Amino acid sequence: MTSILTITLNPTVDLSIEADTVTPERKLRCTRPLTDPGGGGLNVSRAISSLGGNSTAFVALGGTTGDKVMRLLAEAGIGLFPFPAPGETRMSLTATDQTTGEQYRFVMPGPDWGPADVNKALSRIARAAPEGGIVVLSGSQPPGVPDDFPARLATRISRTRAQLFLDTSGKALHNLLSAEAKPADVLRMDELEAEELAGRTLPERTDSADFAQELVTRGLAHAVILARGADGNVLATREGRWFAKAAPVKVVSKVGAGDSFVAAFTLALARGKSLPEALRHGAAGASAAVTTPATDLCSSAMVRKLLPQCPVEAL
């Protein structure tokens, strides 16, 4: 199997709690918190592990919270390439209202990075990148990391001939439009991010496919994936466009659905599957993740069960 390295510059300890109702101006009696290591790349590595695969997680860690993340990853049996973060690793909180099922997510910014921290991280990642493997950059960037970090990363790992998968958002995503170097082999974004980048709504699957293929033509990536929520996912290359339907499941929690998609998609490609077949695995991974509570991710058994309910069609 092709080796996989995930990158998480802004990890977190994810706390998940529930309360009968979530209302202001009163004390809320909550359940005991569930604790998981979090952040885009770490969630991808966790999901890959649950699907029976292996990856190495490059993760920036600092302080006592960082020590806790390292301990949780070790307990999960995930290979770790730790990097000293310039400050305390952040925490995040997901609070679920048991009456309505609504979730409230509180996400903190993480430590401030300086230019020296960024350059040191790029050098360490270049050494850790697997020759001819897959490097997954996923999740938010901490304060101080420049918007062109993905392009700089692509340059630094180019000697390894590794494929770069990007799942990014915000300014870093918008920067790809103007970057001279177009770094990604695969670029993924969710529905809201895609519509913000497009400057228009994308109501139909063909609208998503058109925009994804437009980004490919502009050179942002060899393949672009647009998530369409409960509808499914669209993938476009220069050669074709495909849609994978999401399985019809009861949604318990949407936390980690995108990371589970990336994990199942990446693992399928690492095992030699085609892009359309990897898209189907990704759709099943995301569908499986939303059936789990709190910050739990997809499971191998549920992905196998849902695969037949995630057909792929050409657009």
Side-chain angles (χ1 to χ4, degrees), residues 81-107:
F81 195 118
F83 175 79
E88 183 83 23
T89 296
R90 63 185 177 142
M91 301 181 74
S92 296
L93 173 68
T94 298
T96 301
D97 185 315
Q98 294 175 328
T99 302
T100 65
E102 293 177 326
Q103 287 186 326
Y104 301 82
R105 304 183 196 180
F106 302 89
V107 180

Side-chain angles (χ1 to χ4, degrees), residues 145-210:
V145 172
D147 298 335
D148 67 349
F149 184 86
R152 294 172 63 181
L153 174 63
T155 299
R156 295 297 288 268
I157 68 171
S158 60
R159 63 164 186 79
T160 68
R161 301 188 304 279
Q163 299 180 73
L164 179 59
F165 292 5
L166 294 180
D167 185 6
T168 189
S169 60
K171 292 181 179 179
L173 177 59
H174 283 262
N175 181 264
L176 296 178
L177 293 175
S178 57
E180 292 183 9
K182 307 301 184 184
D185 290 278
V186 177
L187 172 65
R188 179 198 173 272
M189 65 193 80
D190 68 25
E191 189 172 18
L192 292 177
E193 291 162 353
E195 291 185 337
E196 182 182 341
L197 195 64
R200 62 183 187 272
T201 60
L202 304 170
E204 304 296 332
R205 297 169 184 174
T206 52
D207 297 319
S208 295
D210 289 343

